[in-house]
Amino acid sequence: AQASLGPVQDKLRLAVVHGDANDHNVVIDAHGEPGKVALIDFGDMVETWLVTEIAIAMAYVLIAAPYEHKLERGGCVLRGYQAELPLTPAELAAVYPLIVARLALSLCLSSKEAAENPDNVEYTSLHAAGGWETLAYLLGPEGGPGWMPSTSLAAGAGSA
């Protein structure tokens, strides 16, 4: 990730980000009313690059997506984000390495936590299986740095 980010890191905007936008930190209205959505768990909130917010959210979406739909689901999330808060070309270039870095970090931390707290392994390993599959996908022939944003994910930016 460091090698990929080196050329663009001075061009990345800073912001305060949630830092852990995932399916377990989103609360929706039980009746499905539009606009009734909230994020919880602000323990990872930090000032960092704005693009980390979408990279983290995309990492979790990709974990949950079936193997054959990862590109499609990732693209939907990125296009939706782009429609609301467009990323710069430098930020788009940073998305892929930041997703890979987040997955690697999450997998290392969950493995460590599972070893130290075996009674809590069900929770600490919640995303592990999908995380390993997603990391293999992104680093394999279907993935790679060309996986996005230079491919179809950034296409249609601004359209949801």
Side-chain angles (χ1 to χ4, degrees), residues 56-121:
I56 291 167
M58 285 179 70
Y60 286 109
V61 167
L62 293 172
I63 286 171
Y67 194 89
E68 64 276 7
H69 295 293
K70 289 189 185 300
L71 179 64
E72 170 194 348
R73 304 272 168 86
C76 287
V77 174
L78 183 57
R79 283 189 300 276
Y81 192 90
Q82 286 282 82
E84 297 300 319
L85 182 60
L87 297 173
T88 67
E91 289 166 336
L92 284 170
V95 173
Y96 172 82
L98 288 171
I99 291 171
V100 170
R102 176 56 179 224
L103 288 169
L105 177 65
S106 293
L107 290 167
C108 289
L109 290 175
S110 70
S111 294
K112 179 183 180 289
E113 183 66 25
E116 291 176 355
N117 297 301
D119 293 340
N120 198 23
V121 73

Side-chain angles (χ1 to χ4, degrees), residues 5 21 48 53 93 115 126 146 159:
L5 294 172
T48 188
E53 192 80 282
L126 202 58
S159 64

